[in-house]
């Protein structure tokens, strides 16, 4: 299943919003409840274990976020098997647990292939900036040393293979987007991060932008002054032929994110520029799995 952003125009709000992440403290046999978009997460602390129960339901673009810490876990809130909703429960055992709990938004654990819902063409000599959003993962850490327990997608996009064949390439996620060109039309949601994607076409032929691989593992996550989340801008420059593009990652938060502060750094280090296959023939060989 892929996500297509709704067509309605929505101006970014000027009102600041409260984060759903941060440092928390739970007493023994108490729980916390997080609603992050379409995902609900219950985190319980017991004397010798942490228990995490989660499920996904509803609209993948649900803007709802809510925290209840501490909260009484009511078993009737957990969907039943008859509902068709998959509920996952995990236990993490310790000699003794401590109250410390850290919940952090992070970007996806694979690159994400962005597919404009409609074909987008960049004429010769033109530059276009698209604003695309990608779902966030919820990182859960416990204890004074912040032991990583798990990472949970607020919404998990479909799997897709990016490469010239089944032997060369990498497993990615794929999602559809309207590839909005005006920031005024970008819906800002607390379980998604916005990435400005700049495409330059200095060559003599029109460039068709059908799919772009966004290397989110190289990007940091920033919180703007209004509370919403951004990554650095990424830039693609078409070179030589339409199969190759020069990729560069911006330094710091994009200019559109006013007074932004970094929340978390990138998962991977990278060269500041590299040749990557992103346009033309290779995009027609993407295999959905």
């Amino acid at each position: 299943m892929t996500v297509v952003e709704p067509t309605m125009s929505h101006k970014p709000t000027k009102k600041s919003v409260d984060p759903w992440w941060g440092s928390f403290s739970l007493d023994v046999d108490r729980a916390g409840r997080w609603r992050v978009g379409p995902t609900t997460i219950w985190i319980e602390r017991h004397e010798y274990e942490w228990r995490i129960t989660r499920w996904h339901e509803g609209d993948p673009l649900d803007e709802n976020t809510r925290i209840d810490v501490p909260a009484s876990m009511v078993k009737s809130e957990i969907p039943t098997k008859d509902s068709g909703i998959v509920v996952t429960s995990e236990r993490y055992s310790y000699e003794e647990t401590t109250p410390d709990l850290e919940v952090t938004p992070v970007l996806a654990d694979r690159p994400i292939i962005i597919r404009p819902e409609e074909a987008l063409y960049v004429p010769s000599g033109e530059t276009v900036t698209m604003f695309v959003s990608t779902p966030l993962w919820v990182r859960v850490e416990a204890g004074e040393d912040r032991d990583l327990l798990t990472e949970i997608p607020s919404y998990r996009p479909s799997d897709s293979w990016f490469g010239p064949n089944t032997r060369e390439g990498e497993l990615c996620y794929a999602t559809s987007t309207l590839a909005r060109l005006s920031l005024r039309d970008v819906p800002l949601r607390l379980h998604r991060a916005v990435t400005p994607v700049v495409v330059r076409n200095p060559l003599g032929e029109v460039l068709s932008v059908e799919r772009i691989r966004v290397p989110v593992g190289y990007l940091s996550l920033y919180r703007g002054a209004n509370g919403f989340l951004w990554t650095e801008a990424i830039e693609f420059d078409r070179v030589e032929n339409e199969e190759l593009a020069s990729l560069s990652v911006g330094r710091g938060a994009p200019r559109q994110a006013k007074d932004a502060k970094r929340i978390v750094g990138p998962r991977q280090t990278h060269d500041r520029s590299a040749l990557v296959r992103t346009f033309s023939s290779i995009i027609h060989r993407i295999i959905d799995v």
Side-chain angles (χ1 to χ4, degrees), residues 166-191:
T166 56
R167 295 183 179 181
E168 299 178 48
E170 62 184 327
L171 188 62
C172 301
Y173 298 114
T175 184
S176 297
T177 178
L178 293 178
R180 292 173 171 85
L181 304 182
S182 172
L183 184 58
R184 293 190 301 272
D185 297 331
V186 177
L188 298 177
R189 303 180 176 95
L190 275 180
H191 68 294

Side-chain angles (χ1 to χ4, degrees), residues 61-80:
L61 297 176
D62 185 348
E63 299 182 18
N64 183 40
T65 57
R66 179 179 174 180
I67 305 173
D68 296 297
V69 180
S72 298
M73 188 168 187
V74 180
K75 298 300 182 182
S76 61
E77 293 187 20
I78 302 176
T80 63

Side-chain angles (χ1 to χ4, degrees), residues 39-51:
T39 295
T40 299
I41 305 170
W42 279 98
I43 303 176
E44 304 171 70
R45 179 196 169 202
H46 300 289
E47 187 174 3
Y48 303 115
E49 70 177 23
W50 288 91
R51 181 174 297 182

Side-chain angles (χ1 to χ4, degrees), residues 3-287:
V3 177
V4 179
E5 298 176 36
T7 56
M8 63 179 293
S9 175
H10 177 78
K11 294 183 179 181
T13 179
K14 294 182 179 180
K15 182 180 179 181
S16 179
V17 295
D18 295 327
W20 49 262
W21 57 89
S23 299
F24 302 90
S25 180
L26 282 179
D27 294 332
V28 172
D29 296 330
R30 299 305 298 268
R33 178 183 185 271
W34 284 258
R35 176 67 187 240
V36 184
T39 295
T40 299
I41 305 170
W42 279 98
I43 303 176
E44 304 171 70
R45 179 196 169 202
H46 300 289
E47 187 174 3
Y48 303 115
E49 70 177 23
W50 288 91
R51 181 174 297 182
I52 300 176
T53 303
R54 66 180 189 267
W55 63 90
H56 309 270
E57 62 180 328
D59 183 359
L61 297 176
D62 185 348
E63 299 182 18
N64 183 40
T65 57
R66 179 179 174 180
I67 305 173
D68 296 297
V69 180
S72 298
M73 188 168 187
V74 180
K75 298 300 182 182
S76 61
E77 293 187 20
I78 302 176
T80 63
K81 292 182 179 180
D82 295 338
S83 69
I85 297 172
V86 176
V87 177
T88 302
S89 293
E90 301 167 343
R91 299 165 62 194
Y92 301 87
S93 61
Y94 285 81
E95 290 184 2
E96 183 179 9
T97 61
T98 62
D100 308 283
L101 182 68
E102 194 77 21
V103 177
T104 309
V106 293
L107 294 164
D109 55 358
R110 299 180 196 161
I112 297 182
I113 298 169
I114 300 297
R115 304 178 180 183
E117 187 182 14
E118 298 178 350
L120 179 66
Y121 297 93
V122 183
S124 172
E126 292 294 326
T127 298
V128 63
T129 299
M130 299 176 287
F131 296 96
V132 300
S133 70
T134 56
L136 296 170
W137 265 235
V138 181
R139 176 179 291 169
V140 181
E141 298 167 300
E144 296 178 357
D145 296 330
R146 294 184 61 168
D147 299 326
L148 176 62
L149 301 186
T150 188
E151 291 184 353
I152 302 167
S154 63
Y155 169 76
R156 189 184 186 283
S158 60
D159 295 323
S160 190
W161 182 258
F162 188 86
N165 53 56
T166 56
R167 295 183 179 181
E168 299 178 48
E170 62 184 327
L171 188 62
C172 301
Y173 298 114
T175 184
S176 297
T177 178
L178 293 178
R180 292 173 171 85
L181 304 182
S182 172
L183 184 58
R184 293 190 301 272
D185 297 331
V186 177
L188 298 177
R189 303 180 176 95
L190 275 180
H191 68 294
R192 300 178 72 90
V194 176
T195 300
V197 179
V198 180
V199 178
R200 295 188 181 90
N201 180 24
L203 302 186
E205 299 178 355
V206 173
L207 173 66
S208 173
V209 181
E210 298 180 28
R211 296 172 177 88
I212 289 182
R213 173 186 171 276
V214 180
V216 292
Y218 294 159
L219 305 180
S220 299
L221 193 61
Y222 299 85
R223 183 173 187 249
N226 60 0
F228 292 100
L229 299 173
W230 296 79
T231 75
E232 297 95 339
I234 60 173
E235 300 181 1
F236 294 99
D237 289 88
R238 186 182 181 189
V239 296
E240 296 181 358
N241 61 65
E242 60 181 18
E243 288 191 26
L244 293 176
S246 172
L247 165 67
S248 61
V249 176
R251 294 181 181 272
R255 58 179 177 80
Q256 295 87 356
K258 303 298 183 183
D259 300 320
K261 296 181 179 180
R262 193 169 84 161
I263 297 174
V264 63
R267 291 179 182 269
Q268 304 167 260
T269 58
H270 64 94
D271 295 332
R272 295 217 63 83
S273 63
L275 282 180
V276 295
R277 297 180 183 276
T278 184
F279 300 127
S280 190
S281 62
I282 200 167
I283 64 176
H284 298 297
R285 300 193 187 108
I286 294 176
I287 304 169

